[in-house]
Amino acid sequence: MLKEFKSFIAKGNVVDMAVGIIIGAAFTAIVTSLVADIINPIIGIFAGGLDFSAFYINLDPTKSFDTMEAAVKAGAPVLKVGLFINAVVNFLIVAFVVFLLVKNVNKLKDRILAKEAATPVPTPENVLLLREIRDALKK
């Protein structure tokens, strides 16, 4: 079983997947910062200075709280609507960036394939010889 495990780990796909997960985690931190530190403040300007992360709905009708943190600290049930909006915006940004990356990689791949298709492939000598023999036999 140890031999099979070593074989599995040595395969390129596992290493590629591990690298992808590590890069993805680092990329997530960048996107999270982009959303929280750049995009949300810009959206807040257009929304009258509102900060989406502070939006919440208090589900306890008997109490009133000034902030979501105070409600959570008091143990009140709250719907963290602003945090959900931030997560949706974060997802949309990540999805859009991945879309752009895939689109550009596919475009580059298509250019390379078109270039390879346009380059004439020399006919091997044995094929030329077989054609000559064929033509000679037809006569």
Side-chain angles (χ1 to χ4, degrees):
M1 177 138 63
L2 185 59
K3 185 177 180 181
E4 288 176 323
F5 180 70
K6 286 180 183 179
S7 174
F8 172 75
I9 292 297
K11 288 183 181 178
N13 294 345
V14 173
V15 174
D16 292 344
M17 184 177 65
V19 169
I21 290 170
I22 292 167
I23 296 294
F27 187 70
T28 299
I30 292 170
V31 171
T32 300
S33 176
L34 175 69
V35 171
D37 302 330
I38 295 174
I39 293 178
N40 281 346
I42 293 171
I43 292 173
I45 289 170
F46 293 112
L50 297 174
D51 178 14
F52 288 117
S53 63
F55 286 168
Y56 74 100
I57 298 172
N58 180 11
L59 298 177
D60 187 353
T62 63
K63 296 179 185 173
S64 178
F65 301 98
D66 292 333
T67 65
M68 178 174 58
E69 291 80 18
V72 170
K73 195 178 240 185
V78 295
L79 293 179
K80 300 174 183 177
V81 178
L83 296 177
F84 178 74
I85 291 171
N86 285 348
V88 170
V89 170
N90 190 352
F91 169 77
L92 293 174
I93 292 169
V94 170
F96 185 69
V97 169
V98 169
F99 165 74
L100 291 176
L101 287 173
V102 169
K103 182 178 176 181
N104 287 321
V105 166
N106 286 340
K107 188 186 287 186
L108 179 63
K109 187 172 76 172
D110 290 344
R111 276 192 217 151
I112 291 170
L113 291 175
K115 193 178 212 181
E116 287 176 1
T119 305
V121 178
T123 306
E125 192 170 325
N126 61 346
V127 172
L128 294 174
L129 183 58
L130 287 170
R131 286 181 185 165
E132 287 179 21
I133 293 170
R134 179 195 64 200
D135 295 342
L137 290 172
K138 284 184 180 178
K139 292 182 186 178

